[in-house]
């Protein structure tokens, strides 16, 4: 996202947007199951956006990204961050997910840079190394999946791991039939940052 406002108003607006994007991650409230493992919708922290070095086909929805450049505008320690339609995790999280042999995701390299606003708002903040979490699983079956409304769905065991590493979410699970029913929800909702 590129804003072309001049002067201090442009910088102020960019910082305001970065702050809004940096709200804590949350799991969408769902219907409790009978106590089985369960699945969760999760909205990771939007810590930045696609950078100019990203390569994507925007004629498809969601866009097909073949090279990811992520520009961090504000980061507050979450091990999983996003920008539509991509997800990133720290290398430490990648190793933990691979150790538990999670399904529905692969990992790839990502170019991560920081914005001018990041340096102004968080001087001296160091970022851990990130990798691209490429979700390719089926929501409600694999550990990672994308629902028909383009929202991330994770298994309970992945939620537990992410919470232990630094993503804090409510623990409300969704029934598998509820995940399938979400296909009727407006797909634009996920890509709207002011939700």
């Amino acid at each position: 996202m590129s804003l072309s406002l001049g002067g201090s108003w442009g910088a102020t607006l960019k910082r305001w947007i970065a702050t809004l994007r940096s709200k804590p991650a949350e799991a969408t409230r769902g219907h409790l199951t009978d106590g089985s493992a369960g699945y969760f919708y999760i909205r990771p922290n939007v810590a930045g956006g696609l950078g100019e070095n990203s390569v994507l086909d925007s004629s498809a929805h969601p866009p097909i990204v073949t090279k990811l450049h992520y520009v961090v505008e504000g980061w507050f320690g979450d091990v999983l961050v996003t920008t539509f339609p991509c997800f990133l995790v720290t290398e430490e999280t990648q190793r933990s997910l691979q150790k538990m042999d999670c399904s529905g995701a692969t990992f790839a390299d990502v170019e991560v840079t920081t914005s001018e606003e990041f340096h102004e708002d968080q001087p001296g903040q160091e970022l851990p190394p990130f990798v691209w979490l490429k979700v390719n699983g089926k929501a409600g079956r694999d550990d990672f999946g994308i629902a028909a409304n383009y929202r991330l769905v994770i298994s309970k065991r992945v939620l537990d791991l992410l919470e232990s590493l630094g993503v804090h979410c409510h623990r409300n699970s969704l029934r598998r039939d509820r995940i399938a029913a979400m296909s009727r929800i407006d797909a634009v909702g996920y890509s709207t940052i002011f939700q």
Side-chain angles (χ1 to χ4, degrees), residues 166-182:
V167 171
H168 306 287
C169 301
H170 298 117
R171 293 179 152 271
N172 293 325
S173 60
L174 297 170
R175 295 187 324 240
R176 289 179 190 223
D177 62 327
R178 180 77 173 133
I179 293 169
M182 293 303 289

Side-chain angles (χ1 to χ4, degrees), residues 85-108:
C86 300
F87 302 93
L88 285 75
V89 294
T90 63
E91 285 184 354
E92 175 190 11
T93 304
Q94 174 193 11
R95 286 189 295 274
S96 297
L97 290 167
Q98 288 173 325
K99 185 176 180 179
M100 69 187 286
D101 196 29
C102 72
S103 63
T106 59
F107 302 95

Side-chain angles (χ1 to χ4, degrees), residues 51-62:
E52 63 185 24
N53 296 332
S54 293
V55 177
L56 61 126
D57 175 3
S58 59
S59 68
H61 187 75

Side-chain angles (χ1 to χ4, degrees), residues 80-189:
L80 168 67
V81 296
T82 189
T83 190
F84 186 76
C86 300
F87 302 93
L88 285 75
V89 294
T90 63
E91 285 184 354
E92 175 190 11
T93 304
Q94 174 193 11
R95 286 189 295 274
S96 297
L97 290 167
Q98 288 173 325
K99 185 176 180 179
M100 69 187 286
D101 196 29
C102 72
S103 63
T106 59
F107 302 95
D109 291 334
V110 60
E111 176 185 356
V112 176
T113 59
T114 53
S115 69
E116 184 178 310
E117 289 79 15
F118 174 82
H119 293 288
E120 289 174 9
D121 295 340
Q122 296 181 274
Q125 174 70 54
E126 295 287 325
L127 293 177
F130 282 92
V131 297
W132 184 1
L133 174 72
K134 298 177 93 172
V135 179
N136 56 17
K138 183 169 174 68
R141 185 188 72 201
D142 294 311
D143 288 311
F144 287 94
I146 302 293
N149 62 353
Y150 307 113
R151 291 174 59 188
L152 180 61
V153 176
I154 60 174
S155 66
K156 183 179 185 325
R157 71 187 196 128
V158 169
L159 178 64
D160 290 346
L161 173 72
L162 293 175
E163 285 182 334
S164 75
L165 294 173
V167 171
H168 306 287
C169 301
H170 298 117
R171 293 179 152 271
N172 293 325
S173 60
L174 297 170
R175 295 187 324 240
R176 289 179 190 223
D177 62 327
R178 180 77 173 133
I179 293 169
M182 293 303 289
S183 64
R184 292 183 287 279
I185 291 182
D186 185 341
V188 178

Side-chain angles (χ1 to χ4, degrees), residues 2-15:
S2 177
L3 297 174
S4 59
L5 297 173
S8 64
W9 281 105
T12 301
L13 183 58
K14 281 184 174 182
R15 279 194 296 278

